[in-house]
Amino acid sequence: MNLEKVVFGFFIVLAMTLNFGFFIGDIDNPNHHHVYELYAAIVVNLIATVLKFGDRTQIGAILLSTSLVANLQLIVGAVLWVSLSGSVDEPTIITYVVSLSGGAFLANIISVILLVAETINQRR
Amino acid sequence: MNSILFLILRRMRRPLIAIIISFAIAIVGLTLMPGQDNNGQPWQMSIFDALYVISYTATTIGFGEIPYAYSNAQRLWMTFSIYLTVIPWFYAIGKIISLAQDSGLRAALIIARFAHTVKLLNEPFYIVCGYGETSGLLVNALDNKGIHVVVIESQQDRLNELELNDSQFIIPNLCADAKLPDILSKAGVYHPLCNGVVTLTDDDQANLAIAVAVKLMNPSLPVLARAEKEETAANMTSFGTDHIINPYTLFGEQLAMKVHAIGTYILHEWLTDVPGDTLPPPVCPPIGKWVVCGYGRFGKSVIQNLRREHITATIIEADPRMTGCDDCITGSGTEAKTLLEAGIKDAVGIVAGTNDDINNLSIVMTAYELNPDLFVVIRKNKRHNEPLFKQFNADITMQPSDIIAHECLAHMISPLLAQFLTLARYQSNDWSNRLISQLVAVVGETVPETWAVTIDSKHAPAVSALLKNSTPVMLQHLMRDPADRDQTLNLVPLMLSHGNKQTLVPDISTVLTEGDRILFCGRPSAKSALPLLLNNQKALIYSIDGKEIYDSLIWRWLNNQKI
């Protein structure tokens, strides 16, 4: 067992689960989507991205790009939330943010699939 | 470039994670702390506000308490956040600075930039390994002649000299060991426009290693290598090195050429010199008894060539046993006694050929005092002693680096030129003198441009098209000014080569055939005018029979009606 691998796997899976947690619920109901969950998802996604830096293999490159996609969508969602609050009604804002986080969730799923595929490929 | 980016990302991993985690903790904490707004209502910071506050705090900008004055709980958390976030921030900045100063990273950057510059070269170029006196001359001359060069040298201070030189083109250069195949490939050994590799370092082993590496990497690439030892030269030949240059043998041959055929020598010197320089005045060594001081590799070659010209030579050598000299006078030659013993009084010439410049000068000074009519040949080893030699003004000053550079140029300007010079050596002195006077009449007293032209559909479409129409094109048609056919261009055809058959100084009424290669020599103006005749059929037809072809269909039709 390798501690680095544990940390790596932990952050990638956590990024997906947090993302899922924020995404799940009625798309236009602000009560189903907590801001702290989005915040946690962004932070964990950022950490996962940085952990993927510097891997020159093909799978490493794809892992990094999925993370970048997830980050992009989540951060755009957060920026929309901040900039639109006050001018547009809350259900509309939350719809935008949740749909963006849905895209990020897809990217995170791909990331986890790749991680699993790589692990299976590494035959003992 | 790609690998450098990954290297930076990898090294930045730890500081970036430290920043993300510390910011995340500080932001969440700040949003949870209870506060009050201006009306005394309970108020908590939003995540966005907290991000804003922590960002300016961590970067030590510090705008203060925004938007309301903080409660004690918030201030407590801010105090904690300052220590939590500022330290990782400085850690990251320190890491970036140390990365920028990292010698490994810098070297990687320099190599990447060099490889990129070479890759972008879009004109034929040569790779020169080693930048010493010889290569310096060579690079300068090539640059003057409009040929691109890439330089690899293992000493940075020599490259600094190159960068200070004022050159026509940008010369990509790299401080690295040229023996490494990776460096050679970055310098463009695999580049489709690479014309050849020249290795002129003063280390035979290094030259051998480079020649072998290049021949293994890209066998079709011509290699010119300097070799001073027989065994190195033999080894290079076995790997297919195209031209092996031994400065000592070359010097001996040139001295013999001077004694035997001064015209040929001047022709050689002239055609491989930097265009625009003035012609050196010819000096012809006398025939008679010679004294040669120094029987090293240089002296041996001189003696061998002098003897071939049936000139008797007495040798003076300080260490006869080591140099393998059986019949010589022992001594350095710097004192009058040895020189007198060698018979300096009735000699016609002296060769001061030791590997020490000061000794050479001393030998020649002493000899001059004993016999003021001597013809003096002196060997100059170091370029920085130039002023001393200029002061002395010997009849012939021989400098290995000059000789090598000239020889390399002959091969690099055009393979035809090297072929021409080899053939010219077999011609008589009168032939050379006639050619020189012909050249002087056309191009004047300055060093001319030399270039080769191939007659085929790619390089000379106009000529090729007329030949396909079975219109005969003669050499003289290429020698007329395309603006006024009564004026001739200032150029002389030196050689016409077709297949394996070479004609030296072809007659101007020679009819050209497809596949001919012609070596021209002339003024720069002629060199720039010639492509018009080669590429433009209208200009060529005007040059042949003085007729203008009309551009438009109607004029052409009218013209045909008249006839």
Side-chain angles (χ1 to χ4, degrees), chain A residues 4 11 35-36 39 43-44 46-47 50-56 61 64 82, chain B residues 3 6 9-10 12-13 16-17 20-21 23-25 27-28 31-32 47-48:
Chain A
E4 195 193 336
F11 275 105
V35 66
Y36 278 105
Y39 174 76
V43 170
V44 173
L46 278 175
I47 293 175
V50 175
L51 283 175
K52 290 166 180 175
F53 277 175
D55 188 350
R56 292 175 69 177
L64 179 59
V82 171
Chain B
S3 59
F6 277 111
L9 287 180
R10 214 188 169 89
M12 286 307 292
R13 215 148 59 167
L16 282 178
I17 287 180
I20 293 172
I21 292 177
F23 271 48
I25 295 170
I27 291 169
V28 172
T31 57
L32 296 177
I47 290 181
F48 173 64

Side-chain angles (χ1 to χ4, degrees), chain B residues 359-375:
Chain B
N359 274 353
N360 284 346
L361 283 167
S362 161
I363 291 168
V364 174
M365 302 283 250
T366 321
Y368 241 162
E369 273 171 24
L370 296 169
N371 184 353
D373 301 327
L374 276 179
F375 185 91

Side-chain angles (χ1 to χ4, degrees), chain B residues 57-248:
Chain B
T57 310
T59 53
T60 70
I61 291 166
F63 283 149
E65 300 180 348
I66 298 175
Y68 310 117
Y70 293 169
S71 67
N72 279 341
Q74 281 174 318
R75 285 190 185 149
L76 192 68
W77 184 258
M78 277 308 289
T79 316
F80 167 71
S81 299
I82 289 169
Y83 295 111
L84 182 72
T85 54
V86 171
I87 294 166
W89 184 258
F90 279 113
Y91 169 47
I93 289 189
K95 197 82 185 174
I96 289 173
I97 291 172
S98 75
L99 256 179
Q101 286 171 338
D102 188 274
S103 60
L105 184 74
R106 273 172 144 182
L109 263 175
I110 289 171
I111 291 182
R113 206 179 302 143
F114 169 76
H116 187 68
T117 331
V118 172
K119 211 187 253 174
L120 288 185
L121 280 177
N122 51 10
E123 274 182 66
F125 66 95
Y126 277 99
I127 302 171
V128 176
C129 304
Y131 187 81
E133 284 181 19
T134 318
S135 330
L137 279 173
L138 183 66
V139 167
N140 204 5
L142 285 173
D143 186 67
N144 257 313
K145 284 187 182 275
I147 299 170
H148 286 261
V149 198
V150 172
V151 175
I152 313 173
E153 161 64 50
S154 53
Q155 287 177 34
Q156 184 60 48
D157 48 344
R158 289 191 183 165
L159 283 180
N160 294 344
E161 222 170 278
L162 169 71
E163 274 164 17
L164 289 176
N165 268 357
D166 172 35
S167 61
Q168 191 184 159
F169 302 117
I170 294 167
I171 298 177
N173 57 70
L174 181 67
C175 178
D177 187 357
K179 285 180 294 217
L180 304 175
D182 184 44
I183 298 292
L184 281 171
S185 89
K186 289 210 163 83
V189 166
Y190 295 121
H191 197 294
L193 286 171
C194 182
N195 263 352
V197 179
V198 187
T199 162
L200 296 178
T201 65
D202 45 15
D203 174 7
D204 262 24
Q205 275 309 313
N207 288 339
L208 177 66
I210 295 166
V212 168
V214 173
K215 273 295 164 193
L216 287 175
M217 289 165 83
N218 190 350
S220 61
L221 207 61
V223 177
L224 275 92
R226 169 179 175 166
E228 292 181 2
K229 294 195 198 86
E230 291 281 325
E231 52 271 32
T232 319
N235 209 339
M236 282 177 178
T237 319
S238 67
F239 268 94
T241 305
D242 301 77
H243 303 287
I244 296 159
I245 291 161
N246 183 336
Y248 302 109

Side-chain angles (χ1 to χ4, degrees), chain B residues 289 291 339-348 367 369-374:
Chain B
K289 189 182 164 220
V291 175
L339 286 173
L340 284 171
E341 202 181 326
I344 197 77
K345 290 272 189 199
D346 54 341
V348 292
E369 273 171 24
L370 296 169
N371 184 353
D373 301 327
L374 276 179

Side-chain angles (χ1 to χ4, degrees), chain B residues 411-474:
Chain B
H411 288 290
M412 290 160 89
I413 294 168
S414 155
L416 273 190
L417 180 60
Q419 222 172 0
F420 170 78
L421 291 173
T422 321
L423 289 173
R425 282 186 200 174
Y426 296 111
Q427 301 294 320
S428 70
N429 198 25
D430 287 343
W431 178 87
S432 305
N433 284 336
R434 255 182 290 133
L435 182 57
I436 289 177
S437 54
Q438 194 185 345
L439 286 178
V440 168
V442 173
V443 300
E445 295 275 327
T446 52
V447 174
E449 292 263 2
T450 318
W451 71 99
V453 165
T454 310
I455 305 292
D456 58 20
S457 52
K458 193 178 161 209
H459 299 96
V463 182
S464 179
L466 284 187
L467 289 176
K468 277 198 188 106
N469 271 341
S470 58
T471 316
V473 182
M474 285 187 261

Side-chain angles (χ1 to χ4, degrees), chain A residues 51-109:
Chain A
L51 283 175
K52 290 166 180 175
F53 277 175
D55 188 350
R56 292 175 69 177
T57 58
Q58 174 67 20
I59 217 153
I62 304 290
L63 271 174
L64 179 59
S65 55
T66 53
S67 250
L68 288 174
V69 169
N71 267 318
L72 180 74
Q73 296 217 329
L74 289 175
I75 289 171
V76 168
V79 169
L80 274 182
W81 201 337
V82 171
S83 55
L84 293 183
S85 61
S87 56
V88 185
D89 62 285
E90 226 176 338
T92 320
I93 299 176
I94 206 72
T95 314
Y96 294 159
V97 177
V98 172
S99 66
L100 276 165
S101 80
F105 178 50
L106 261 183
N108 270 321
I109 291 176

Side-chain angles (χ1 to χ4, degrees), chain B residues 377-556:
Chain B
V377 177
I378 190 162
R379 170 182 173 189
K380 178 166 72 178
N381 298 288
K382 297 272 179 284
R383 207 176 166 74
H384 57 75
N385 285 330
E386 173 105 35
L388 298 179
F389 284 86
K390 217 167 204 168
Q391 194 65 35
F392 184 72
N393 198 14
D395 296 288
I396 301 177
T397 307
M398 279 293 183
Q399 186 177 359
S401 54
D402 277 331
I403 298 166
I404 301 170
H406 275 267
E407 184 69 15
C408 289
L409 274 178
H411 288 290
M412 290 160 89
I413 294 168
S414 155
L416 273 190
L417 180 60
Q419 222 172 0
F420 170 78
L421 291 173
T422 321
L423 289 173
R425 282 186 200 174
Y426 296 111
Q427 301 294 320
S428 70
N429 198 25
D430 287 343
W431 178 87
S432 305
N433 284 336
R434 255 182 290 133
L435 182 57
I436 289 177
S437 54
Q438 194 185 345
L439 286 178
V440 168
V442 173
V443 300
E445 295 275 327
T446 52
V447 174
E449 292 263 2
T450 318
W451 71 99
V453 165
T454 310
I455 305 292
D456 58 20
S457 52
K458 193 178 161 209
H459 299 96
V463 182
S464 179
L466 284 187
L467 289 176
K468 277 198 188 106
N469 271 341
S470 58
T471 316
V473 182
M474 285 187 261
L475 199 49
Q476 56 177 332
H477 297 143
L478 295 182
M479 294 166 63
R480 291 189 184 141
D481 192 337
D484 178 2
R485 68 190 292 270
D486 297 331
Q487 301 285 321
T488 49
L489 289 175
N490 291 320
L491 52 81
V492 176
L494 291 178
M495 186 169 78
L496 189 135
S497 160
H498 188 89
N500 286 329
K501 191 174 162 286
Q502 279 94 22
T503 320
L504 287 178
V505 198
D507 195 68
I508 56 165
S509 58
T510 312
V511 178
L512 298 176
T513 47
E514 180 89 8
D516 278 356
R517 286 183 306 152
I518 312 161
L519 182 68
F520 283 110
C521 160
R523 288 216 178 143
S525 60
K527 189 184 178 184
S528 56
L530 192 61
L532 185 63
L533 287 174
L534 296 175
N535 298 325
N536 188 330
Q537 210 168 335
K538 205 179 142 186
L540 185 61
I541 288 179
Y542 167 72
S543 166
I544 291 174
D545 49 19
K547 272 190 215 145
E548 289 274 3
I549 305 182
Y550 297 103
D551 282 326
S552 73
L553 269 176
I554 298 172
W555 269 109
R556 242 182 254 176

